[in-house]
Amino acid sequence: MRFGGARSRLRRRDERAFRRRPLALSAPPMSAALVPIPAADPAIALRLAQEARALLRDGQAAEALPMLDRLAALGAPPAAALRAEAMLQLGRGGEAEAAADAALAAMPEDAPLRRLRARIRMARGRHAGAAEDAAAAVMADPTELSGRLLLAAALTEEGRHDEAIWFAGEAWRADPDNPDLQYRLGRAFLRAGRHEAATELLAHCEAVAPRLPGLAALRAHAALLGGDAAAAEALARAALARGIAEGAVHSVLAHALVTQGRLAEAGPHFAAAARMAPQNGYLAHLAAATGAAGGGGERAPADYVESLFDNFAPRFEATLLGLGYRIPGLIRRAVERHRPAAAAGEACLGPVLDLGCGTGLVGVALSDLLRGPLAGIDLSRRMLEEAAAKGLYASLRQADLLDALREDAGRYDLITAGDVFCYLGDLRPVLGLCRARLAAGGLLIFSLERTATAEAWELGTAGRYAHAAAHVASRLAEAGLRPLELREEAVRREAEAVVPGLLVVADAAAA
């Protein structure tokens, strides 16, 4: 669905359609509350529905479930929608969407139900579906501003920034004295890379509502993304001095300090941010990497890697090329050494599995050698979008590489992993899974960062793991892989220094 027509119709209707009223960004769990109760036991069903709604409003979804079971047994119409809200609160996205689907099957034009399913789909990362639902809700009820904000958020995640800014702007223009709406418009500008517009809006918003949750951190983040780390640091420190003790403020301050090369100062702020968001693996990993919280786990958390590369995707290739990134070329030359017939076009190369394919740089390096399908796996949706645009991959999948390897039943002539295993400390699981996916005579080629100070591996301040060559060799042997090459190579430059690395080529060891 495209939204240009909807946008023009809504513009014409704004003067008569919008009324000033309080904004409910988190809609009541079931505004389909006025749906008639079935004839059987109407008083009981009504009381159960009211009590369940009250519990859901208080965030007590688990306590509401017995009532929802009873409502479903009575056949009460609100049961499915209330269950969808409860499952959303409990983080059970699949069940939440199934319940919302059931509710919408009975009332497909209901705007509150459309908004509810849009929220569920947003939580599940299904942004295109969320945009469809939010657009339908806006068309059905243009006076409800939360629908416009949901649509703006979904369009932002889809990378459709101009449309997102338009809908966020329409919500703000309908209620221009609402600082939360101005904040959300500023955030939409920031996600679109329009830093100056975001900075201006957020500064004005802070003058009106200086303690609006999230505002101080977003304003500092806008300065950081605009390339002014010193200003970001100053804004974050000023917010902390005013008593705004939010994890996001500590996080943006830490990132500003890292950008200025002040890693030791950043650590305590990463640790503070992680304490305030104990479920956030991204912050916990950075706290560990800077030495502020233990030694780190055996791998970088999936949400850390996904967040890192989603944010990095638009500038990934330009940044790496500027740092003299060598890995795709090193993998290409390794293939030429160990598959000379394929390099000469005299033999087939493929199928190929590119683990952590990113924007597809390894695929580009190998593209003229391929005679079989190329498959890519990556955690970052935005990196995969960049890879898809190159038109080289037969399939691309967003998944954790260990999960994907466990679920894959294929056999590959070549498996590559360029700068991917540096987000794993213990290599034992991934090497065993790669061994299982290699075809007879197949090759595994991967790169690592190299440590000279640890016997096995260590977590560095940049959030990546470095491995010792002897440890890699032992892990290859344990996995049933034979090292054909285990050579020291420079990976790239970083802070004017060369990052030492390892290039590993292996095949299946003889039984």
Side-chain angles (χ1 to χ4, degrees):
M1 178 185 289
R2 307 301 295 184
F3 305 111
R7 185 168 65 189
S8 60
R9 287 195 293 275
L10 287 167
R11 183 187 292 116
R12 293 195 298 269
R13 290 159 60 176
D14 275 348
E15 288 299 319
R16 68 175 189 273
F18 282 118
R19 306 189 295 271
R20 183 72 54 83
R21 63 179 181 178
L23 178 67
L25 296 179
S26 296
M30 183 52 198
S31 35
L34 302 179
V35 175
I37 299 298
D41 300 309
I44 293 175
L46 178 60
R47 186 167 67 251
L48 286 170
Q50 290 172 337
E51 292 177 0
R53 288 189 189 93
L55 288 169
L56 291 174
R57 279 194 298 270
D58 292 340
Q60 300 181 57
E63 290 80 356
L65 290 181
M67 298 176 189
L68 299 180
D69 291 338
R70 182 73 186 280
L71 271 176
L74 290 172
L82 287 169
R83 181 171 293 277
E85 179 70 37
M87 293 299 106
L88 176 59
Q89 288 189 20
L90 293 169
R92 292 156 62 176
E95 294 173 75
E97 187 163 353
D101 290 345
L104 277 164
M107 295 182 292
E109 305 303 321
D110 186 80
L113 282 177
R114 286 283 188 172
R115 290 193 293 271
L116 174 58
R117 193 168 69 177
R119 289 165 51 215
I120 292 167
R121 287 176 164 177
M122 283 291 289
R124 301 189 70 197
R126 300 181 59 181
H127 303 124
E132 295 289 343
D133 277 332
V138 169
M139 293 302 297
D141 184 4
T143 64
E144 177 55 63
L145 300 187
S146 62
R148 289 174 181 252
L149 293 176
L150 272 170
L151 181 53
L155 291 170
T156 295
E157 294 301 326
E158 285 288 289
R160 296 161 63 176
H161 296 296
D162 288 342
E163 294 168 274
I165 289 169
W166 193 91
F167 282 103
E170 286 296 290
W172 178 47
R173 282 186 285 275
D175 190 0
D177 295 330
N178 189 320
D180 187 67
L181 295 178
Q182 189 172 9
Y183 163 81
R184 289 167 183 265
L185 178 58
R187 188 169 62 185
F189 273 117
L190 190 60
R191 287 291 300 273
R194 296 167 64 175
H195 303 127
E196 291 185 8
T199 297
E200 182 179 348
L201 274 169
L202 294 172
H204 181 269
C205 187
E206 191 170 63
V208 175
R211 302 195 71 83
L212 184 69
L215 175 58
L218 192 66
R219 191 178 174 204
H221 190 51
L224 184 59
L225 291 179
D228 195 341
E233 178 190 354
L235 287 167
R237 290 194 186 281
L240 292 174
R242 296 197 306 272
I244 300 177
E246 296 175 355
V249 175
H250 283 285
S251 176
V252 74
L253 174 54
H255 281 93
L257 292 167
V258 168
T259 301
Q260 297 175 78
R262 294 154 61 188
L263 294 176
E265 295 177 65
H269 293 287
F270 278 130
R275 285 194 300 272
M276 295 178 186
Q279 305 305 315
N280 189 317
Y282 176 90
L283 293 171
H285 186 69
L286 287 174
T290 52
E298 293 186 344
R299 60 170 295 178
D303 59 350
Y304 168 82
V305 177
E306 183 177 4
S307 176
L308 177 69
F309 286 100
D310 272 352
N311 291 325
F312 196 18
R315 61 187 191 281
F316 177 80
E317 293 186 9
T319 300
L320 285 188
L321 292 174
L323 294 173
Y325 184 57
R326 305 179 65 229
I327 297 303
L330 291 175
I331 290 175
R332 161 73 183 232
R333 288 192 287 277
V335 170
E336 291 173 344
R337 288 193 297 274
H338 294 276
R339 290 286 188 273
E346 299 169 356
C348 174
L349 179 66
V352 176
L353 177 62
D354 188 8
L355 297 174
C357 62
T359 62
L361 291 177
V362 170
V364 170
L366 299 178
S367 59
D368 64 314
L369 306 182
L370 296 172
R371 300 294 183 272
L374 172 64
I377 295 169
D378 203 280
L379 263 173
S380 167
R381 179 176 64 87
R382 289 194 171 90
M383 297 288 272
L384 289 171
E385 289 170 354
E386 298 285 335
K390 292 180 170 60
L392 298 173
Y393 290 82
S395 65
L396 289 165
R397 180 183 175 190
Q398 183 182 6
D400 178 88
L401 64 91
L402 295 179
D403 293 339
L405 287 168
R406 289 188 188 101
E407 296 164 5
D408 195 341
R411 292 291 186 273
Y412 296 93
D413 184 38
L414 173 64
I415 298 176
T416 63
D419 266 8
V420 180
F421 294 173
C422 56
Y423 293 99
L424 302 172
D426 184 5
L427 297 177
R428 184 185 288 110
V430 73
L431 292 179
L433 290 167
C434 286
R435 169 66 181 85
R437 299 276 67 80
L438 282 177
L443 290 178
L444 170 64
I445 306 177
F446 61 93
S447 65
L448 294 165
E449 294 185 12
R450 177 173 56 85
T451 177
T453 60
E455 293 183 2
W457 47 266
E458 62 183 352
L459 177 60
T461 56
R464 297 184 296 273
Y465 294 89
H467 295 79
H471 177 72
V472 175
S474 69
R475 287 290 184 257
L476 289 168
E478 290 176 16
L481 291 163
R482 178 181 60 159
L484 304 177
E485 293 186 24
L486 186 55
R487 57 196 291 164
E488 296 182 2
E489 292 280 2
V491 176
R492 65 183 172 279
R493 295 189 310 277
E494 193 170 277
E496 304 306 319
V498 171
V499 177
L502 296 168
L503 182 72
V504 183
V505 182
D507 65 2

